[in-house]
Amino acid sequence: MAHQTVGRPRPGLPDDPRAEVAEPTPACPVEVALAALRGRWTTLVIRELLGGEHSYSGLRAALRGLSDKVLSDRLAHLVEAGVLERRRETGVPPRTRYRLTPHGERLGPVLQALWDWGADSPAAVSGRA
Amino acid sequence: MAHQTVGRPRPGLPDDPRAEVAEPTPACPVEVALAALRGRWTTLVIRELLGGEHSYSGLRAALRGLSDKVLSDRLAHLVEAGVLERRRETGVPPRTRYRLTPHGERLGPVLQALWDWGADSPAAVSGRA
DNA sequence: CTGAATCCCTGCCGATACTG
DNA sequence: CAGTATCGGCAGGGATTCAG
């Protein structure tokens, strides 16, 4: 009775053998998710794409301060993680469109959960330096 | 109609000014949450505490491979983030108990969301190297 | 327009040793 | 038992430059 936080029979933590890992391994789904979100600017890139697909320069325009290197790093990483889909428009001015995959769309609730927790955080409320 | 993923009127993304940040700033609740979870071993430490309070050595025993430095780093960081509470038992053998704060307990659903997404991830399913 | 290549600097993490 | 001190290696990230 002391802790039933994760004690529900959902396809999650308690019964799954991967929940017993004693080391940070890629086998743990939580690590997989955090690995996908890892890196500065990553969530902001996702947030832009949650609002609809964008071109490379569109993203760069929306996220000033983000260098080319980091942006292309993030995009490649997110494509690799199955979050984004890259579509090249082979025209005279080469265009590339980035959009969320269905799996990437499902990050919406995840980010929402992170948001809700963070918004409720004492650090966010009391403005602790 | 192209994207209603975050289009619900929950206390989250669309209407909140903090959702429009063009830079990774601590003002964004998502950043707050990810900052709390940041660092290797962090989620595993939290997982151990989700199963009930532990002593310092209890955590170290549960998480072999985790050095003292990193463990105390993580604990201090999580206390700072309002996730953990440290309670010193000033007895003859000095004991220190770590337990989740109510706010820390609320990380349960967050980790669940991360788990669910990661478990559904192509990288986890198809075992992509 | 869409990146890739390079350089440098910082911060994280692990190992070891030491203290109250 | 519960940490802190110190050091070194390595990866992440920013600015700039170059290429397709």
Side-chain angles (χ1 to χ4, degrees), chain B residues 39-41 65 69-70 74 94:
Chain B
R40 210 150 111 91
W41 297 95
K69 175 183 183 288
V70 176
R74 293 297 169 269

Side-chain angles (χ1 to χ4, degrees), chain B residues 1-44:
Chain B
M1 66 195 68
H3 51 81
Q4 72 281 33
T5 310
V6 293
R8 39 202 155 129
R10 303 192 56 233
L13 284 66
D15 317 348
D16 202 301
R18 292 171 295 183
E20 301 301 334
V21 291
E23 205 176 314
T25 164
C28 176
V30 173
E31 295 291 331
V32 172
L34 287 178
L37 298 177
R38 172 140 29 220
R40 210 150 111 91
W41 297 95
T42 303
T43 58
L44 291 182

Side-chain angles (χ1 to χ4, degrees), chain A residues 43-68:
Chain A
T43 58
L44 291 182
V45 171
I46 295 172
R47 202 170 61 61
E48 289 303 315
L49 274 327
L50 278 173
E53 65 177 35
H54 281 271
S55 65
Y56 183 89
S57 55
L59 288 170
R60 199 169 49 169
L63 300 170
R64 310 175 190 280
L66 174 54
S67 73
D68 280 335

